[in-house]
Amino acid sequence: MRILLIEDDPVLGMAVRDQIVADGHGADWVTRLADAEHAVHAAAFDLILLDLMLPDGRGSDFLRKLRSTGDATPVMVLTARDQISDRIAALDAGADDYLVKPFDLFELSARIRAVGRRYAGNPNPLVTLGDIEVDLSARSVRRAGQTIALTAREWALFEAFVQRPHQLMSKPQLEERLYSFDAEVESNTIEVYVARLRKKLGADVIETVRGMGYRLGTPGGGA
Amino acid sequence: MRILLIEDDPVLGMAVRDQIVADGHGADWVTRLADAEHAVHAAAFDLILLDLMLPDGRGSDFLRKLRSTGDATPVMVLTARDQISDRIAALDAGADDYLVKPFDLFELSARIRAVGRRYAGNPNPLVTLGDIEVDLSARSVRRAGQTIALTAREWALFEAFVQRPHQLMSKPQLEERLYSFDAEVESNTIEVYVARLRKKLGADVIETVRGMGYRLGTPGGGA
DNA sequence: CCTCGACGTTCAGGTGGGTGTCAGCTGGGC
DNA sequence: GCCCAGCTGACACCCACCTGAACGTCGAGG
């Protein structure tokens, strides 16, 4: 796996790069966003590790620009504990995962392995639910052959269900999933997004279990 | 899994400890930081549940001190909804997760299971009773391969039986389980829900012991 | 710098299904 | 045969959930 590391701190950067190499991956390490943009244009990566605070700009801006070009390379954000707003911005901008500094290098290895399993392990990770096809790496959903566009939040919610097909998930669980550690929201946001997903993908896509939460339904009938 | 609970509120503490034990873990419950420090020196825990407001100090200070000794035991902080600053302080001090009071005991179980999964690498545990399969973390029940939908109360009651497979449970015990502490119910609610469970899962799923209570039956014949 | 559009979030009002209660019935134990 | 614990079907209430719309916010493009 080829990994692009965008991190300006020399100590952390070196440690992470060494760990990546030790895990048997290829590592490209840049310290500025300008270099990072050059790198993603020059080569294809399987994973990008992105620090949010960089000398020549914000990592979330880089990420947003990357996603706007249609690039779906998995991005794992490296963030400090108190930069909650930045973290949310990063998830909104299209980050796939995040790691809170200071993090254990074992944790890093485990996450990278998880990415490899999820994305590179099987080149065509298609999940099928009735007549719905989900491509986790491409972030695309099709129902009856028709591609359906989901917004960032809609996708984040839907992905949570797809990754755990039989699991019942409570609203607090889902809120935490969508809003990271800043689960301060006291509203019906989850309900609203469930409704929007049902409107886009079909009413039977998500099943309500009163008083407990939601779970993936069985689209297209129980067949 | 062995869990240290640091919580001074007797009602909440008892409820959490009972839930931990019901989930099959070992629980040590202390109400003061002094006792907590003694406990972590005396034994190794797999998880620490830490209240932030304690009679003899702040939980975040305890946590910081613990981390400074190199102890990396997972710590889940229990915090009130409005103590945002304390929560951030706890995360900075090295907490791995947090749970906002008042929290559902199911939520607690799920989080504890998540910790166990993260550190042991196990998938969800499946409980099998004859031809009935129960996934406690997914909250799903299947009989002969057929998924059966349970409501919140029905699940709560069924879970109580599944977690104590051979134990006889009186109606007051079950009422306390379903309605936590304000057990103000004076009716045959338990009988009603036992009947509903039997209708959904089969008559042999719960066995009546006249004058004493109920216990889990042996579905699928006395095999 | 301004405008437009897309998306996220909040709010209020309506609704249906879960829940608790009750009355009457059943059946086992003595 | 009596008695009482447990069983069952029915039903009204209430709250969790749904939904449409309005509002705020952020980024793209001129």
Side-chain angles (χ1 to χ4, degrees), chain A residues 11-29:
Chain A
V11 177
L12 181 62
M14 202 175 300
V16 171
R17 189 200 52 186
D18 289 352
Q19 182 63 41
I20 292 172
V21 173
D23 288 340
H25 307 297
D28 284 14
W29 175 22

Side-chain angles (χ1 to χ4, degrees), chain B residues 28-101:
Chain B
D28 284 15
W29 175 22
V30 301
T31 58
R32 296 182 310 153
L33 289 182
D35 298 334
E37 298 202 13
H38 192 263
V40 295
H41 283 133
F45 294 92
D46 301 301
L47 173 65
I48 297 175
L49 298 179
L50 176 63
D51 185 18
L52 286 184
M53 294 276 290
L54 288 161
D56 61 339
R58 297 167 40 140
S60 51
D61 293 332
F62 166 81
L63 177 54
R64 201 182 318 275
K65 192 187 287 183
L66 182 77
R67 289 289 185 248
S68 72
T69 67
D71 193 322
T73 305
V75 171
M76 191 181 305
V77 161
L78 312 178
T79 157
R81 194 167 281 276
D82 50 352
Q83 298 170 334
I84 301 176
S85 55
D86 275 2
R87 201 181 312 161
I88 292 178
L91 288 173
D92 279 340
D96 299 84
D97 202 352
Y98 69 88
L99 213 52
V100 175
K101 299 179 190 175

Side-chain angles (χ1 to χ4, degrees), chain A residues 7 9 21 41-42 67-68 76 79-80 91 95 99 136 142 189 193 195 208 218:
Chain A
E7 168 64 62
D9 180 52
V21 173
H41 284 133
R67 289 287 185 247
S68 71
M76 190 181 306
T79 157
L91 289 173
L99 214 52
L136 286 174
R142 286 184 301 167
T189 314
Y193 277 101
T208 301
T218 53

Side-chain angles (χ1 to χ4, degrees), chain B:
Chain B
M1 209 157 50
R2 187 162 183 190
I3 299 175
L4 174 63
L5 169 64
I6 310 171
E7 167 65 61
D8 63 318
D9 180 48
V11 177
L12 181 62
M14 201 175 302
V16 171
R17 189 201 50 189
D18 288 352
Q19 182 63 40
I20 291 172
V21 173
D23 288 341
H25 306 297
D28 284 15
W29 175 22
V30 301
T31 58
R32 296 182 310 153
L33 289 182
D35 298 334
E37 298 202 13
H38 192 263
V40 295
H41 283 133
F45 294 92
D46 301 301
L47 173 65
I48 297 175
L49 298 179
L50 176 63
D51 185 18
L52 286 184
M53 294 276 290
L54 288 161
D56 61 339
R58 297 167 40 140
S60 51
D61 293 332
F62 166 81
L63 177 54
R64 201 182 318 275
K65 192 187 287 183
L66 182 77
R67 289 289 185 248
S68 72
T69 67
D71 193 322
T73 305
V75 171
M76 191 181 305
V77 161
L78 312 178
T79 157
R81 194 167 281 276
D82 50 352
Q83 298 170 334
I84 301 176
S85 55
D86 275 2
R87 201 181 312 161
I88 292 178
L91 288 173
D92 279 340
D96 299 84
D97 202 352
Y98 69 88
L99 213 52
V100 175
K101 299 179 190 175
F103 49 81
D104 192 340
L105 285 179
F106 160 64
E107 198 74 33
L108 177 71
S109 294
R111 299 287 192 95
I112 291 176
R113 266 193 297 272
V115 171
R117 232 175 294 131
R118 197 181 326 154
Y119 289 84
N122 304 340
N124 292 347
L126 265 186
V127 180
T128 308
L129 311 159
D131 58 345
I132 295 183
E133 288 180 358
V134 188
D135 187 334
L136 285 175
S137 60
R139 285 195 161 187
S140 70
V141 194
R142 286 183 301 171
R143 170 140 211 178
Q146 192 79 20
T147 299
I148 296 174
L150 295 185
T151 71
R153 280 284 190 278
E154 286 165 2
W155 174 264
L157 181 63
F158 185 56
E159 187 185 41
F161 286 109
V162 172
Q163 285 177 345
R164 303 167 170 87
H166 299 293
Q167 188 164 340
L168 178 82
M169 302 175 80
S170 70
K171 270 183 273 191
Q173 272 181 306
L174 291 168
E175 281 173 3
E176 188 177 336
R177 169 94 187 192
L178 289 209
Y179 304 98
S180 70
F181 323 103
D182 50 334
E184 199 61 40
V185 276
E186 285 186 27
S187 71
N188 61 346
T189 316
I190 299 298
E191 297 172 9
V192 171
Y193 277 101
V194 165
R196 287 176 181 166
L197 276 180
R198 291 211 254 239
K199 183 173 278 183
K200 283 190 174 181
L201 296 175
D204 50 358
V205 93
I206 294 172
E207 183 183 345
T208 301
V209 183
R210 214 180 160 77
M212 304 195 63
Y214 299 93
R215 79 156 65 97
L216 206 57
T218 53

Side-chain angles (χ1 to χ4, degrees), chain A residues 49-132:
Chain A
L49 297 178
L50 176 63
D51 185 18
L52 286 183
M53 292 277 290
L54 288 161
D56 61 339
R58 297 167 40 143
S60 51
D61 293 331
F62 166 81
L63 177 53
R64 198 183 319 278
K65 192 185 289 184
L66 183 76
R67 289 287 185 247
S68 71
T69 67
D71 194 322
T73 305
V75 170
M76 190 181 306
V77 161
L78 313 177
T79 157
R81 232 156 203 150
D82 50 352
Q83 298 171 336
I84 298 177
S85 56
D86 275 0
R87 204 179 309 160
I88 293 177
L91 289 173
D92 279 341
D96 299 83
D97 201 353
Y98 64 86
L99 214 52
V100 175
K101 299 179 189 175
F103 49 81
D104 192 337
L105 286 178
F106 291 113
E107 184 85 20
L108 177 70
S109 294
R111 300 285 191 100
I112 291 175
R113 250 179 284 121
V115 170
R117 234 174 293 127
R118 182 151 37 123
Y119 293 91
N122 36 352
N124 196 15
L126 263 186
V127 180
T128 308
L129 310 160
D131 59 344
I132 295 182

